[in-house]
Amino acid sequence: MRSCKGFTVTELLACMAIMAVLFSMSVGHFSSLRERQHAAATINQLSNALQLARASALSQRKRHTLCPSANGENCSDDWSNGLLIHTGTHPTPGTIVTFYPRIGSGDLRWHGFGSGKSIQFQGNGYLLVQNGSFIYCPPTPDPRLARALIINKSGRIRAAEDRDGDGVVEMSSGQPVSCTK
């Protein structure tokens, strides 16, 4: 007599139930991963824009400005909209070097000396006036997703790090990055 090999309906239902539980547990992890990747992408884009503005100022030996821009043609006041690099001064752009459009949600803020409406690199790569930091605040209230870039007077940038192992990055002062206004 020939025997049939396979699964019973009960076995298939049990397997599908286990798979559904595993899938529902992983969905939360994927959204957290997506938020972390978005925070990293925003900070990387800002870092690239700052490095390009400084390198352009050095190579052309003239002032280059990084300012917030929603349309890629004019400077605005909200750093979260996008980033414009141009020759000239704020608010009147000279020759436009490049435009970085907004990546997505989240808030990007400048904290430092000077007006905060633009970052100007001189022909020697140094900042014209301001040094300080950019802080990225995620759309969710999770402080572990906040990031910061610190810029010194010589135009060099560095990412804030989590020095105490609590999952929240700290500023130069040792204080955790804060997204409260």
Side-chain angles (χ1 to χ4, degrees):
M1 179 182 231
R2 207 169 132 185
S3 73
C4 294
K5 296 188 180 195
F7 297 104
T8 65
V9 172
T10 307
E11 292 172 329
L12 285 173
L13 288 175
C15 183
M16 288 176 63
I18 291 170
M19 287 175 52
V21 168
L22 291 175
F23 178 74
S24 66
M25 289 173 32
S26 67
V27 168
H29 294 292
F30 283 125
S31 68
S32 176
L33 174 66
R34 183 179 162 276
E35 291 171 355
R36 284 194 310 270
Q37 291 299 327
H38 178 72
T42 301
I43 285 297
N44 287 339
Q45 181 185 52
L46 176 60
S47 177
N48 290 340
L50 287 163
Q51 290 174 8
L52 178 61
R54 183 172 188 257
S56 297
L58 280 166
S59 67
Q60 296 177 15
R61 297 240 179 251
K62 66 180 182 178
R63 184 178 302 170
H64 278 66
T65 301
L66 173 70
C67 65
S69 176
N71 60 12
E73 297 174 8
N74 301 309
C75 295
S76 67
D77 292 333
D78 185 1
W79 285 99
S80 299
N81 286 333
L83 305 168
L84 176 66
I85 300 173
H86 63 85
T87 61
T89 59
H90 179 79
T92 308
T95 304
I96 294 175
V97 176
T98 193
F99 172 65
Y100 293 88
R102 179 182 182 131
I103 289 181
S105 57
D107 190 24
L108 190 59
R109 304 177 195 156
W110 168 252
H111 297 276
F113 303 104
S115 72
K117 296 185 180 195
S118 68
I119 306 295
Q120 295 183 6
F121 290 92
Q122 300 178 84
N124 62 2
Y126 279 56
L127 293 174
L128 181 64
V129 176
Q130 62 276 57
N131 60 319
S133 57
F134 278 100
I135 296 177
Y136 167 76
C137 295
T140 61
D142 188 353
R144 295 171 298 168
L145 297 174
R147 300 287 183 266
L149 281 180
I150 301 163
I151 309 168
N152 66 20
K153 179 73 174 151
S154 67
R156 301 207 180 223
I157 60 173
R158 68 177 178 85
E161 298 174 351
D162 176 20
R163 294 187 184 137
D164 60 7
D166 66 353
V168 179
V169 297
E170 287 88 28
M171 300 302 290
S172 298
S173 63
Q175 295 297 316
V177 170
S178 173
C179 288
T180 56
K181 289 188 176 182

